[in-house]
Amino acid sequence: MTDKTTTIPVWEPEPGVPAASLPPFGDLYAKARRTAAAQVLFGALITVAGLALLFAGASVPASIFVAFLGCRILLNWVPAVVSGIGTKPGPTEVFEAMPVDPDGLVARRSHVGVRLPDGLWLRVQLPPGVRVQLAGQRRLWLLRRGDRVHVVVPGIVLVWKGRLVSAPVSGAKHLPVVPRDVVAPCEDPVLSADRRAKVPMMLIMVLLNVISVGLAVWTVVGLKADVVARTAAADFAAPGGAAVAVLGVFAALHALTCAITLLKLLRPRSERSWTELPVLDRQITFSGSYRAVLKGHVRLPDGSVAGFRTSKVFASLALDVAASDRLWTLGAARLGVVAVGVPGYPVIGVARFRPAPERAPAEPAAQPIGH
């Protein structure tokens, strides 16, 4: 089956280039590691502070509230630190391209098995959107280190750990080939799988924020009681209650934002086409945790020039746009806030388009593609 999305250039490892210099292990890797380590240290300090308050005889609700905030941070960032341990490749190790046979791909839930030409099986856990992408593209890159491997797929600047074994996971079933035609966003199987996978994660975020708000209310009520009773903790209670109230308001706003996002994820996409926009110039600013801000200018379908700036999106989207000098909007391109991505890849973000001074045309304006 022909992969129609191969007409869209995306980021891929360069043959023969040392893996240590590529984005998954280069500056992006270093920034992500520093960010994760700093967040884990911060979360640990907050957790210890909450426990210390409890053993020092401070307000029980306040102590639990502080410890809970620290545990939330640790829950978010400890997995990132653990997954990064021992992943830095040597200066001479390179990724090798690995095509996948039509019948050489099996899966059981998130566990994916890939049959290699030497008869061994790669066993790796991949998120739903990436599994569907791999089921259609049937190609990836491996960095071998004995029976341990690092796995990279086209267009995704992330690395997954895997192992080389003699057989796939028990009970795995063959994955059928997924068509890779460029279709409307509302019909894209990769985007649909990625969207479904985000629902439980967003639901957890809503619940954690609701718990934070509940603990904040409990804490403020308890501290107010200390003020009224003029206990030994009364001097701390007033400023402490104000600080907790502010944090509670932020948690409530975050819960509302996550709830709105959850409702959007539960609602099917309605965009019936992609709009391909030539990028006239661009600038990428990377931050920690594989995030990036992409800004520049594009040529709109009516021939006018617009400036754009994305929110903090995954670095994969920024590097995919850089690889093609094309930006794709979900639906019609217009001034204002628009969803952007790459057809057939689980990289979605948001960009704001604004009017920009006219300049000499670099390329003809592109038209909508898909259904």
Side-chain angles (χ1 to χ4, degrees):
M1 181 173 293
T2 303
D3 180 359
K4 300 296 180 57
T5 61
T6 54
T7 59
I8 300 174
V10 292
W11 176 87
E12 299 182 13
E14 298 180 36
V17 175
S21 65
L22 296 174
F25 296 116
D27 290 340
L28 287 182
Y29 175 87
K31 287 183 178 180
R33 288 293 300 274
R34 288 195 297 267
T35 299
Q39 291 287 347
V40 168
L41 177 60
F42 179 65
L45 291 175
I46 296 297
T47 304
V48 170
L51 296 176
L53 287 173
L54 182 63
F55 287 109
S59 166
V60 172
S63 303
I64 294 177
F65 178 74
V66 173
F68 179 77
L69 292 182
C71 290
R72 276 195 59 180
I73 297 173
L74 292 176
L75 181 65
N76 286 338
W77 291 99
V78 166
V81 171
V82 172
S83 65
I85 295 176
T87 59
K88 186 71 174 176
T92 60
E93 296 182 53
V94 298
F95 279 103
E96 58 177 305
M98 191 62 59
V100 181
D101 294 332
D103 62 345
L105 186 65
V106 299
R108 181 185 179 189
R109 299 189 192 78
S110 64
H111 295 272
V112 175
V114 180
R115 189 177 64 230
L116 305 183
D118 57 9
L120 293 176
W121 283 83
L122 162 66
R123 188 182 295 178
V124 63
Q125 286 186 273
L126 297 175
V130 177
R131 290 201 303 272
V132 176
Q133 176 188 329
L134 181 61
Q137 282 187 318
R138 305 276 161 160
R139 59 191 180 93
L140 45 76
W141 285 264
L142 297 182
L143 184 66
R144 303 196 193 209
R145 311 181 78 175
D147 64 343
R148 299 179 182 273
V149 295
H150 296 138
V151 181
V152 169
V153 300
I156 310 295
V157 192
L158 289 175
V159 176
W160 288 275
K161 292 181 181 179
R163 294 183 67 90
L164 298 180
V165 294
S166 58
V169 64
S170 176
K173 297 181 179 180
H174 285 279
L175 284 180
V177 177
V178 175
R180 290 288 293 174
D181 294 328
V182 179
V183 297
C186 61
E187 300 174 356
D188 193 310
V190 174
L191 295 187
S192 298
D194 183 61
R195 194 177 179 87
R196 288 192 298 269
K198 291 177 180 177
V199 169
M201 293 187 293
M202 196 55 59
L203 180 59
I204 291 174
M205 291 297 296
V206 172
L207 293 176
L208 288 176
N209 280 290
V210 169
I211 293 174
S212 297
V213 172
L215 289 175
V217 172
W218 183 33
T219 301
V220 171
V221 171
L223 293 176
K224 184 177 180 180
D226 287 338
V227 173
V228 173
R230 299 183 180 277
T231 64
D235 292 340
F236 163 79
V244 171
V246 171
L247 292 175
V249 170
F250 277 113
L253 292 175
H254 195 200
L256 179 61
T257 301
C258 292
I260 293 173
T261 303
L262 178 62
L263 292 176
K264 290 181 179 179
L265 290 174
L266 292 172
R267 186 174 59 196
R269 286 199 175 278
S270 59
E271 299 91 350
R272 302 298 302 175
S273 68
W274 294 90
T275 300
E276 179 187 3
L277 305 176
V279 176
L280 306 180
D281 60 72
R282 52 179 165 75
Q283 178 183 344
I284 303 175
T285 303
F286 296 108
S287 61
S289 193
Y290 288 93
R291 293 281 179 171
V293 173
L294 178 65
K295 62 181 180 180
H297 295 85
V298 295
R299 179 76 61 185
L300 296 179
D302 62 4
S304 63
V305 174
F308 74 93
R309 180 187 178 93
T310 69
S311 59
K312 276 193 175 182
V313 297
F314 282 113
S316 301
L317 175 57
L319 290 175
D320 289 344
V321 171
S324 63
D325 276 330
R326 293 291 188 274
L327 182 65
W328 290 265
T329 63
L330 284 72
R334 65 183 187 279
L335 298 180
V337 178
V338 182
V340 295
V342 180
Y345 294 87
V347 289
I348 295 294
V350 173
R352 179 179 292 276
F353 290 83
R354 65 185 189 283
E358 185 61 36
R359 59 180 64 194
E363 297 185 44
Q367 298 299 321
I369 58 177
H371 294 321

